[in-house]
Amino acid sequence: MDINYELYKVFYYVASSLSFSEASKQLYISQSAVSQSIKTLEKKLDQVLFIRSTKKVQLTPEGEILLRHVEPAMNLIKRGENQLLESNSIGGQIRIGASDTICRYFLVPYLERFHRSFPASHIKVTNQTSIKCVDLLENGQVDLIFINYPNNYINQLSTVKKIKTFQDVFVANDSFSHLKGQKLSYQELLKQPILMLDRKSTTSEFLHTLFQQHQLDLVPEIELSSNDLLIDLAKIGLGIAFIPDYCLSRDSEGLFIVETKEELPKRQLLIAYNDRIPMSRSVQAFLDYF
């Protein structure tokens, strides 16, 4: 099927913004031209791609399917353009996906080092959970992702490199001082108010799976999307927080580690990238740090 690339480009901008007027601004063409391009694409594909109303625009199921294929292609083209521009300059761009926790407690020194060495390079960091970072990489929205492992969502298209082993820990403040010097079983931990990340994280999946392996159903007292908030709540005595040990710092003074009878399995930090796509000099330079 012979369909002009520009039609897919217009479709991508409308689908991304869910607005014909916004797409026209981004493409520097009239709104009527955007509307006509979408009509032409729908006619060629013999599919309705958008549900139009006076208040909003929505993708149809067919439109959502097409977007899943067009978005990675558009990102790949943008990436190629950036690499060509970079070849004529000393700058370039590096796009990184990582969680807030990994950025704050692990990546910052490396970003500082890279910026000092390549001040003209543009650094873009997208903060998402380790699970969602995999989607960013698959869709070509980032060059590298830093994720926790085990991670059931990483696929064979990605090349992975282990860069750090870490241990998860349970931490509490002196409200739980009676637990100091004790080693609690997982069964005994269930009697305590557990603070942990929500179900959308690999850390939550890891801990729930660990308890299930011991035929235990973990029901946390509080679930949050931030390890920093877990530490804050542990510091005021709301419960025992489950966090990676590399989050322990001066900010976590006043907390102690609650020991467990069973040794918690170690986990890893990984870099994942797609080695089937040519890598820019900036990305390769950053990858060489690890």
Side-chain angles (χ1 to χ4, degrees):
M1 186 177 294
D2 182 22
I3 297 179
N4 191 310
Y5 160 75
E6 289 298 322
L7 297 181
Y8 285 123
K9 183 177 179 180
V10 172
F11 166 79
Y12 169 74
Y13 278 91
V14 175
S16 298
S17 63
L18 293 179
S19 168
F20 281 71
S21 60
E22 182 61 29
S24 71
K25 293 176 185 176
Q26 294 177 359
L27 292 165
Y28 300 100
I29 60 176
S30 68
Q31 190 168 331
S32 61
V34 170
S35 181
Q36 186 57 49
S37 294
I38 295 300
K39 288 179 181 178
T40 301
L41 182 61
E42 289 179 324
K43 183 177 180 181
K44 285 180 175 290
L45 294 174
D46 194 24
Q47 298 286 348
V48 177
L49 301 174
F50 294 97
I51 300 171
R52 303 160 176 85
S53 69
T54 54
K55 292 185 178 180
K56 60 181 180 180
V57 176
Q58 289 179 280
L59 281 164
T60 63
E62 293 76 15
E64 290 177 353
I65 291 171
L66 184 61
L67 179 61
R68 286 201 296 270
H69 293 277
V70 169
E71 185 176 34
M74 291 296 299
N75 287 324
L76 194 59
I77 291 170
K78 290 178 184 177
R79 184 172 179 172
E81 290 174 345
N82 289 333
Q83 287 192 29
L84 288 176
L85 292 172
E86 180 182 347
S87 66
N88 293 322
S89 70
I90 59 173
Q93 177 179 242
I94 176 170
R95 302 171 303 161
I96 299 169
S99 69
D100 291 342
T101 300
I102 293 174
C103 282
R104 178 178 180 184
Y105 293 101
F106 178 76
L107 268 182
V108 168
Y110 294 99
L111 295 174
E112 180 184 19
R113 177 183 171 189
F114 180 81
H115 178 65
R116 289 180 182 277
S117 299
F118 304 94
S121 290
H122 177 66
I123 303 171
K124 180 181 179 181
V125 180
T126 302
N127 292 134
Q128 289 288 358
T129 64
S130 289
I131 293 173
K132 291 185 178 180
C133 280
V134 175
D135 291 333
L136 293 176
L137 183 63
E138 289 180 353
N139 290 329
Q141 293 174 265
V142 294
D143 305 302
L144 303 168
I145 58 174
F146 291 79
I147 57 174
N148 292 324
Y149 182 83
N151 187 321
N152 296 324
Y153 300 86
I154 197 75
N155 63 32
Q156 295 180 348
L157 293 177
S158 303
T159 299
V160 298
K161 181 178 182 181
K162 294 181 181 180
I163 54 177
K164 180 181 177 66
T165 298
F166 67 92
Q167 183 87 52
D168 294 286
V169 291
F170 290 95
V171 296
N173 79 347
D174 282 338
S175 300
F176 298 86
S177 60
H178 58 284
L179 300 179
K180 288 183 177 180
Q182 297 186 45
K183 288 193 174 184
L184 303 185
S185 67
Y186 293 151
Q187 179 73 58
E188 291 168 327
L189 273 169
L190 288 181
K191 299 175 184 178
Q192 307 297 328
I194 301 298
L195 316 176
M196 61 183 291
L197 292 179
D198 60 35
R199 288 277 190 164
K200 298 176 182 178
S201 68
T202 54
T203 299
S204 174
E205 289 189 354
F206 169 75
L207 189 58
H208 277 286
T209 299
L210 191 60
F211 273 70
Q212 288 167 3
Q213 289 171 351
H214 290 78
Q215 289 75 53
L216 297 172
D217 185 22
L218 173 60
V219 181
E221 183 78 8
I222 296 176
E223 291 180 294
L224 296 169
S225 60
S226 164
N227 278 303
D228 289 337
L229 286 176
L230 291 177
I231 291 171
D232 288 341
L233 295 190
K235 287 169 69 174
I236 62 174
L238 288 191
I240 300 174
F242 183 73
I243 61 172
D245 60 1
Y246 61 81
C247 292
L248 294 173
S249 63
R250 291 179 181 177
D251 293 340
S252 52
E253 287 180 2
L255 298 177
F256 69 93
I257 294 175
V258 178
E259 302 288 345
T260 59
K261 288 181 180 177
E262 299 91 349
E263 185 178 356
L264 289 166
K266 289 182 171 59
R267 292 196 290 159
Q268 287 85 36
L269 278 182
L270 304 181
I271 298 179
Y273 55 95
N274 189 342
D275 65 358
R276 295 169 178 80
I277 298 175
M279 192 174 293
S280 71
R281 289 182 296 172
S282 295
V283 174
Q284 184 61 62
F286 191 77
L287 187 60
D288 288 343
Y289 290 163
F290 304 95

